[in-house]
Amino acid sequence: MLYPKNSVDKLGFTEVKELIKAHCLSEMGQQMVDKIQVMSNYDLIYKFLNQANEFKNILVNDAALPIHHFFDIKTLANKARIEGVFLSEEEFYQVQTSLQTVFAVIAYFSEREGLYPNLEALFEHLPIEKAILKKIDAVIDPKGKIRPNASRELNEITLGIAKAEQEARKKIDQIFKAASGSGWTADGSLTVRDGRLCIPLLAENKRKLKGFIHDESASGQTVYMEPEEVFTLNNRVRDLEFERRREIVKILTALTDELRPYTPLLLSYHGLLTKLDFVRAKALFAIDIEAEMPQVVNEARLKLYNARHPLLFLNFKNEQKTVVPLNVHIDEGTRIIVVSGPNAGGKSVCMKTVGLLQMMVQAGLLIPAAEASVVGVFKQMFVDIGDDQSIESDLSTYSAHLSKMKTFVEDANGKTLILIDEFGTGTDPQFGGPIAEAVLESLNQKKVRGMVTTHYSNLKIFASNTEGIENASMLFNNVEMKPLYQLEIGKPGSSYAFEIAQKIGLPANVLNLAKNKISEGQKKVDTLLVDLEREKREIFETKQKLDKQQRRVNELQTENEKLKSYLDENKKVLIKEAKDQAKNIILNANKLVENTISEIKSSNADKEVTRALRENLNTELKKNTVKVEPVKPNPAAADEELKPGDWVKLTDSETTGQVIELIKDNVVIAIGDLRTVAKKKRVVKVSKSSVPKDIRRNFSSHTNDLASFSPEIDVRGMRTEDALHAIEKLFDRALMMGFNNLKIIHGKGDGILRKMIRQYLKKYDQVDRLEDEHADRGGDGITYAYLK
């Protein structure tokens, strides 16, 4: 149940239906869109949502559905039911093409059996009666015209017409040629008058030929005559054409009689085509607004993630802007959300987004929100938006509001969703506030769900002290005095009345006078709200920074674990190889020693032989001895000072790198992609030729990366999340490569993207300052970030 009836107009649901109708291929589909209603039957809602979602998957991921022709065959079937009535060639063509579409669609889903169960259910148990199509194909050709051989009689008549026309043409050509040779004809060729082929004769020669004059020229000097011989032949053609028409009517009547028993089936096919057109239109609209299918539950609750108002989304899309997404939940614990905040801060849009998306889901439409969103089913939706003044009923704005509140309080229950904009306004705030609070308390006692917007402080206080009611606010940048259009649950928002008035330029004496007229307690409450909002924003930014750092730590930890695992695995392999090699050395050594002893014995310890054998042993020993060469400084450069670009080696390890920068007694060294700082006394300069090629090659590759890196990025047209992600990657690379500034091109527009980017960059300690580009080169459409 919707109350009042114009709720669909107030929330924009009527506009949504019009946009869906624009995607329909047929008038029947448009009529079905007009009948879309908000339902409360969970099973129907779930089925319709799945149908739209499956069709969307077909449009996005599968081959095109063979839907080309949608005609109103219901009207044709009802016409064919009447005895003695026959369908025309064009009408049979519409039936023919519609049946071809039906059978092609059924074949499409048969090839994908089980993939789209909810769409397959549309034609479940629907018989495929191709005999109808065969009967029509035998009479109507693919262009929608009756076939010349549809019957034996029609074929004979058609041949007779062709023969008679050929004879008439041949005869008139002969007469025209003879008349032209005699000089009787006027300038020109054969022409048609009254549907008859005529010879143009000079008026003075009209008695020289026998025939029928059909027309004459404006001057009267030329007459158009049909010769007597041709006149007889043309009459024969006319008679045959009449016979042909009578035969066609006879054929069409017989075909209609054959079609009549199938009219119930044709009506079923009509229903299938209409539903397909309807679901297709819903799916196309879902693609337009980037909609998804949420999780649907048979409970009175909802939880929306990254929700956007579909109409606002489409408007912003055309203007290349992005909508700030909404996150909100309404359930047993948080039944009613009281939204406060400044004017033009997005309170009403937030509430309308919740109401419109709930309507769309309960009408079987996909919504522009994350798939993780959960949407329940409400039996009733009560909406109070706008003033609804009525001259006829003598209702003022406030009276109209009270009339709705009466219905809300009397009829609402735990399965009702209420949406009230500017709750309690329209009368003296001293009395309107308490009445609104009483209504809110009554609705809360009935476990009603919903959202209300207000500026009244007593409602904010009541919400903070009442179980089941939660405060929420639309965030506002009180430094730049601009709304952020972000809903924050858990605290009320200030109206920023004085701040906005000051921003607009209201004189200071007027502002001071106004401040003196409000109570001290109210001033304190509003100031406290402003301070709380600022502190909350700072905490939020700090949390984002900590989250990013934690993600970085987790990534490094994962990389370290992978590296440790890799090293452990290689260590095992190296030890195994070393053991095998040592085993072979020992075996070979044992053989060598045994052979040496044997040869010494056989030579009776001859000195020369023994010396030769000992040298042989020493040679083999040297082969298996690992030489450890101490690191020696380059003699040519021993006394030279280190400078950027020199290659150095750490004295306490085998690590080699290149000098990037010298800072007092410290050296900044590049080791691959890493940077390290060491004391000068811990490094020794080495020649470039002594550095392994693979290290030089890796460093060269990194240098190329550095050369190809550009500290400039263009994020115009990106969504805010994508833009921040791209800037974060650029920022990380700039830090790693030692760049001291970034150029970010974000465009001007409403300044929302610029503001989000600058807030994001201010979180980093490495950012020294942010500046606009020169006014002649882009101004505040470009931000320069200078790094420390």
Side-chain angles (χ1 to χ4, degrees), residues 183-206:
W184 298 344
T185 59
D187 293 337
S189 58
L190 294 172
T191 186
V192 176
R193 288 292 185 273
D194 296 334
R196 300 278 190 140
L197 201 58
C198 300
I199 297 173
L201 292 175
L202 294 172
E204 62 266 23
N205 298 323
K206 65 182 179 181

Side-chain angles (χ1 to χ4, degrees), residues 423-441:
F423 196 23
T425 57
T427 189
D428 188 341
Q430 187 176 354
F431 304 104
I435 291 175
E437 185 176 328
V439 170
L440 188 59
E441 183 175 1

Side-chain angles (χ1 to χ4, degrees), residues 81 233 533 741 787:
R81 278 179 168 178
L233 290 171
E533 189 160 329
N741 66 74
L787 310 182

Side-chain angles (χ1 to χ4, degrees), residues 456-472:
Y456 285 173
S457 297
N458 67 305
L459 294 182
K460 302 175 189 178
I461 296 170
F462 177 72
S464 64
N465 297 326
T466 306
E467 184 180 354
I469 304 180
E470 188 73 66
N471 270 308

Side-chain angles (χ1 to χ4, degrees), residues 646-662:
D646 288 341
W647 288 91
V648 294
K649 182 174 288 188
L650 298 176
T651 56
D652 52 356
S653 74
E654 293 296 312
T655 304
T656 304
Q658 193 170 33
V659 176
I660 297 297
E661 188 178 359
L662 298 170

